Amino acid sequence: MNAVTELQPPPGLSAEDCARAEHYAVLARIFHAAPDAALLAALAQVGRTLGAAEGALPSAWAALGGAAQARSPQAVRDEFDALFVSVGKPRVIANGSWYLSGFLQEAPLAALRADLAELGLARRQGVAETEDHVAALAEVMRHLVVSGPDAAGLARQRRFFGRHLAPWYARLAQALTQAPEADFYAKAGGLLQAFLDVERAAFELLEAPA
């Protein structure tokens, strides 16, 4: 995708939307590539801070922060490669088309590309992952949060989330939980599920009749 994670929040963006955008940015980063030492340290610090609160999302942050503190950058990099990198089928596939159709490069990816074109977004030249990768979709959601905090923007967010993340993110999180190679990324899957569950509930409230 284009570098939407570089998009800076406008001055009037609410604290809630800033937090949402930051969550999407973190998910995009850690599912795109293994975090380095600096990011692991930052995740550990956030986990200590947010993990003091109650609820599924703070608990997920505490678990991820603990894993970030306990694992070395090399160990996390090895885990990332074992889970997501393979000359054949990876241990865990992070692409929506796989969960929606059982195949890669299928109709769900074509539908996603059509929606991205309507939004004026496209994959950056030279990027290997297809647009339905969870990291790319998180980047798009961050872009939509930052660029459209009004009612029309919320409608775009709800539609994109409902079509391209809601139907399958829990299955990816489950696959990570069940993968014997996963430690840090099992916790990353927990954060993915906890945060997107919050997003899903909020979007469902927007859809509910007054």
Side-chain angles (χ1 to χ4, degrees):
M1 301 302 299
N2 46 359
V4 295
T5 53
E6 298 174 3
L7 185 66
Q8 294 301 309
L13 198 67
S14 69
E16 179 184 356
D17 280 343
C18 282
R20 293 176 61 220
E22 289 167 1
H23 274 79
Y24 279 118
V26 168
L27 292 171
R29 172 61 183 84
I30 62 179
F31 281 104
H32 173 70
D36 58 16
L39 180 53
L40 287 174
L43 293 173
Q45 179 58 42
V46 174
R48 287 190 293 270
T49 302
L50 296 184
E54 295 183 357
L57 185 56
S59 295
W61 265 112
L64 182 64
Q69 186 168 1
R71 304 278 283 176
S72 69
Q74 185 61 55
V76 176
R77 188 158 50 248
D78 290 344
E79 182 181 329
F80 181 92
D81 290 345
L83 290 168
F84 302 116
V85 180
S86 173
V87 294
K89 179 184 173 183
R91 179 69 180 82
V92 175
I93 295 175
N95 299 79
S97 292
W98 175 260
Y99 297 96
L100 294 172
S101 70
F103 300 94
L104 299 173
Q105 307 275 353
E106 287 292 323
L109 179 57
L112 169 61
R113 285 173 172 165
D115 284 349
L116 290 172
E118 186 176 334
L119 293 169
L121 300 173
R123 182 169 55 164
R124 180 192 292 167
Q125 188 173 6
V127 173
E129 297 291 354
T130 52
E131 296 90 331
D132 62 337
H133 191 278
V134 67
L137 294 172
E139 284 191 350
V140 173
M141 283 301 300
R142 181 184 187 276
H143 171 82
L144 294 177
V145 170
V146 170
S147 64
D150 56 2
L154 279 172
R156 287 191 294 271
Q157 294 170 39
R158 184 175 67 244
R159 180 176 184 272
F160 189 89
F161 181 91
R163 284 170 61 88
H164 303 299
L165 271 169
W168 66 275
Y169 72 80
R171 294 178 62 191
L172 171 58
Q174 181 181 33
L176 289 167
T177 300
Q178 294 175 347
E181 302 91 340
D183 179 16
F184 175 87
Y185 275 96
K187 311 303 189 300
L191 179 64
L192 176 79
Q193 173 136 20
F195 173 61
L196 296 189
D197 281 351
V198 172
E199 289 283 276
R200 170 183 254 164
F203 287 136
E204 287 174 351
L205 283 176
L206 289 175
E207 293 176 337

